[in-house]
Structure formats: C-alpha cells, structure tokens
C-alpha cells in the first residue's frame, strides 16, 4: 500500500482551535465580572466571534482525517476500539474529576450511579465536555456516514453536478440552523418522545447533525487535498474578503441583540445561518494560515506541532486549570478584570493545560488520561507514515 503524505498543517489547525477554545472560556469568565464597561464588553464580544471557529475546526479536521485514512478500507471493530480507548476513556476519567468537584460521589447508591451515567451521556460534567459526546458520534457512525458520502459522490456526476450537490447541502444545513435558532424558540417546538426531544431539541447543541456540514466539508478536502491547498492559496484575497464581510455582519447582530452595556454572548451561537456562513469562510482562512505556517521557517512551528499533539488532553484539562488560574488572578485587581487580565489568564491557562497534558502523556498509562499523544508524536517522523493518526 502506498504511503500517504503527512498532513502537517493539521497540527497547526488543532493548536489554533485549542487556543481559541481556551480564550473563549476566559472571555466567558471576564465578561461577567462586575463593572465591565460597554466598550470592553463589546470588544470581548467581537473577540469571542473571532474565536468561534474552534469547535467547527475540530469537526472539520476529524472529517478530513477519517476520510483521508479510511475512505477505501475500514476495519471497524479495530477502528472503534482504538477510538474508544483514546477518546472515551480519558473523557470518562476527567468527567469523574469534574463531577467530584461539584457533587458528593462518596457512597455507591442508585442516585449517584444515575448522576454519573447521565452526565457521561450528555457531557454535562463540565461546561466543555459536551464536545466529546458530539464528536465521538462521528467515529461511532462513520461507516454509515462514509456510505452516504460515497453514494452521493457516485450519484452526482460532473463538476456542475457536484457543485449543485454541495450548494444544496449548504442550503439544507442553513435551514437546519434557522430551525434551531428561530423556529424552535418561537414555537416552543417539542417531540412527544422524551428521548427524541432530549437529543434533537434540548441537547441539540451537542447533536452531531448540527455540525455535520463541517465534517463532510473536511471529507471533501481530504479527497482532493493538493487541489484544496492550491485553491485556498489562489483565492486568498476572496477568502479574506468573505471573512471580513461576514465578520462585520455578525458584529452587527451582536450590537442589535445586546442591551446597552450588557453583551449577550448567546447571540454568537454557531447554530444560526449567519454564523454558518461566517464559520465556513473563517475555516478556509484558518486552514490557509496553517498552510502558510507550514511553508514558513517560523520557530513557532515546533511549538504549534507539540500543542497539536497534546491538544486533546489539554482540552480536557483546561477548565480545571482555568478554575485555579482565576483563583490566583482574583487576588489582584489589575489581573481580575479587563482585556489585560483576560490575556494573562489565557496565557497561564493554555501553558499549564499543555504542560499537564504533556506530563501525563509521559506516564505508562498516559493514553488513558490524555489520549494517544505519544503515539501521534512517534508517528510524525519525517519518513511520512502510512497513516496520519489523530484522535480529535
């Protein structure tokens, strides 16, 4: 079997996405501080918009990696066992850690067991763990998604037909976003079946269907990766223009739907049509920047690559780290509020999260705590490995 090219820019995309997640959550803390001025609040809001690519980027990279490595051949039992060990086991461990911080888990009884199971299934042990529940379903259902992708690809012939299919998928996805952000709240839409209502309505923010476009977008990029890179580099000016226009529009929406000095970050939800268009433009720009970084001689490439390797563990850990970083920074007024304080919190949280993930990965059982970071590091040798392995 021919060896496949190692996709070096994916580490950079993953590191950008992790850093964006951390600063989003830092902003979530600082924007709620008493006495935040109107200008500072709106600056936080616009920065928050700038960082919203994080979750779609992780989904895009997941789709790209899966289609790149497993389009022609998939041994599903081995595939899913590996992903369960590298994704679900660390998730379960850190879920217990976060639950222990907020709940009394001492004593084994049915109520405690139900609490643990419910939080595991819904990703509610901490505010950031919903993402793991959502992303794992792409792995779990990958054989079905792959068959759907292949069927569509073979059913639609020619460049015009495939362009039409992508456009139709985008319109359908935009309609789903409208349904989520407009129709459901306005009509109190519910399903009679409790489990269906919970998954499709109550917990739709962690429903993989609401992020599926970015997954298949990654799949399309995977099947024509050299052409995809060339397209981005040739159209860079148009991409930045589209990003600028959509960024300005969602900024207008933020101002329109906020009351005076109170900025409502819920307006920045990814599950709305305008944010969908903005996210697609931003993802293309972020990937283009990653390609440029890969071609450059920047000294930051080494650190971004390492951060990309250990980003899953750092993601699981960062909410815990942020809790203690804020306990430290709240001792001083100049670090407890404002843009400057948020930047210090961001740097400290990112650095300590990465450091802990790196250190835990060195342990004999490190893969059970932070995923297979060490394996990924070994597989990234210059010899271009057969398969570019990536948990998330």
């Amino acid at each position: 079997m021919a060896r496949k090219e190692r996709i070096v820019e994916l580490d950079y995309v993953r590191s950008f996405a992790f850093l964006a997640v951390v600063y989003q959550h830092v902003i979530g803390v600082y924007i709620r501080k008493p006495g935040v001025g109107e200008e500072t609040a709106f600056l936080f809001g616009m920065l928050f918009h700038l960082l919203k690519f994080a979750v779609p980027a992780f989904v895009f990279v997941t789709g790209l990696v899966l289609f790149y490595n497993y389009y022609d051949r998939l041994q599903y039992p081995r595939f899913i066992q590996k992903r369960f060990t590298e994704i679900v086991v660390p998730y379960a461990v850190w879920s217990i850690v976060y639950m222990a911080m907020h709940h009394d888990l001492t004593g084994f009884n049915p109520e405690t067991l139900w609490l643990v199971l419910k939080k595991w299934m819904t990703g509610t042990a901490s505010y950031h763990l919903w993402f793991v529940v959502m992303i794992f379903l792409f792995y779990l259902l990958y054989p079905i998604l792959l068959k759907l992708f292949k069927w569509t690809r073979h059913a639609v012939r020619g460049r015009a037909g495939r362009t039409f299919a992508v456009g139709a998928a985008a319109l359908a996805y935009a309609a789903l976003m409208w349904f989520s952000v407009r129709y459901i709240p306005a009509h109190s839409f519910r399903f009679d079946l409790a489990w269906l209502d919970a998954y499709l309505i109550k917990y739709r923010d962690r429903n993989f269907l609401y992020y599926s476009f970015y997954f298949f977008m990654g799949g399309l990029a995977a099947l024509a990766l050299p052409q995809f890179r060339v397209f981005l580099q040739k159209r860079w000016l148009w991409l930045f223009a589209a990003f600028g226009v959509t960024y300005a529009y969602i900024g207008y929406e933020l101002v329109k739907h906020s009351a005076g000095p109170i900025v409502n970050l819920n307006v920045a939800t990814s599950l709305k049509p305008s944010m969908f268009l903005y996210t697609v433009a931003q993802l293309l720009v972020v990937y283009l920047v990653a390609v440029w970084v890969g071609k450059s001689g920047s000294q930051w490439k080494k650190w971004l690559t390492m951060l990309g390797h250990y980003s899953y563990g750092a993601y699981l850990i960062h909410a815990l780290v942020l809790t203690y970083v804020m306990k430290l920074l709240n001792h001083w007024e100049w670090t407890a509020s404002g843009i400057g304080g948020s930047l210090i919190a961001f740097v400290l949280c990112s650095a300590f999260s990465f450091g802990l993930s790196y250190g835990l990965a060195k342990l004999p059982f490190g893969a059970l705590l932070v995923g297979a970071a060490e394996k990924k590091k070994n597989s990234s040798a210059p010899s271009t490995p057969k398969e570019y392995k990536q948990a998330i």
Side-chain angles (χ1 to χ4, degrees), residues 29 34 60 64 70 74 112 148 168 228 260 267 274-275 300 309 345 389-390:
V29 173
F60 172 84
L64 195 156
Y70 302 105
L74 175 67
T112 301
L148 176 62
F228 179 62
V267 174
S274 59
M275 190 62 78
W300 287 100
H309 286 156
K389 298 176 182 177
Q390 182 164 327

Side-chain angles (χ1 to χ4, degrees), residues 291-326:
V291 170
W292 283 344
V293 170
K295 289 186 171 184
S296 73
S298 173
Q299 296 298 315
W300 287 100
K301 289 166 64 174
K302 176 183 176 182
W303 291 104
L304 289 173
T305 299
M306 288 183 64
L307 182 56
H309 286 156
Y310 298 95
S311 61
Y312 181 51
Y315 179 88
L316 294 174
I317 296 168
H318 85 275
L320 177 64
V321 172
L322 182 58
T323 298
Y324 288 98
V325 164
M326 290 313 304

Side-chain angles (χ1 to χ4, degrees), residues 127-140:
Y127 55 80
H128 67 304
L129 294 179
W130 66 270
F131 166 75
V132 184
V133 174
M134 181 271 292
I135 202 75
F136 186 70
L137 281 174
F138 285 109
Y139 293 94
L140 190 66

Side-chain angles (χ1 to χ4, degrees), residues 109-129:
N109 55 68
E111 288 78 14
T112 301
L113 180 61
W114 171 243
L115 173 70
V116 171
L117 290 175
K118 182 180 179 182
K119 290 190 175 294
W120 269 344
M121 294 297 292
T122 58
T124 52
S126 181
Y127 55 80
H128 67 304
L129 294 179

Side-chain angles (χ1 to χ4, degrees), residues 218-293:
L220 286 172
L223 299 185
L225 194 56
Q227 297 92 324
F228 179 62
R229 291 174 179 142
V230 170
F231 170 82
L232 295 180
Q233 292 174 86
K234 283 187 174 180
R235 305 292 197 280
W236 69 269
L237 188 59
W238 288 103
L239 295 178
F240 276 95
F243 167 71
V245 169
T246 51
Y247 181 66
Y249 182 76
I250 62 173
Y252 159 75
E253 288 185 320
L254 184 69
V255 174
K256 179 181 178 181
H257 295 287
S258 296
I262 301 175
V263 174
N264 181 13
L265 292 183
N266 291 327
V267 174
T269 175
S270 296
L271 307 184
K272 64 178 183 178
S274 59
M275 190 62 78
F276 162 54
L277 296 176
Y278 166 70
T279 301
V280 170
Q282 190 178 26
L283 279 178
L284 296 177
V285 168
V286 168
Y287 200 94
L288 173 60
V289 171
V291 170
W292 283 344
V293 170

Side-chain angles (χ1 to χ4, degrees), residues 1-5 384-387:
M1 183 182 293
R3 290 180 179 272
K4 287 191 173 183
E5 170 198 5
T384 357
K386 181 189 292 186
E387 176 185 303

Side-chain angles (χ1 to χ4, degrees), residues 30 33-34 36 44 329-330 332-342:
Y30 275 80
K33 294 272 188 177
V36 176
F44 274 137
L329 297 185
N330 284 338
W332 303 285
E333 183 177 350
W334 66 278
T335 57
S337 61
I339 299 295
S342 73

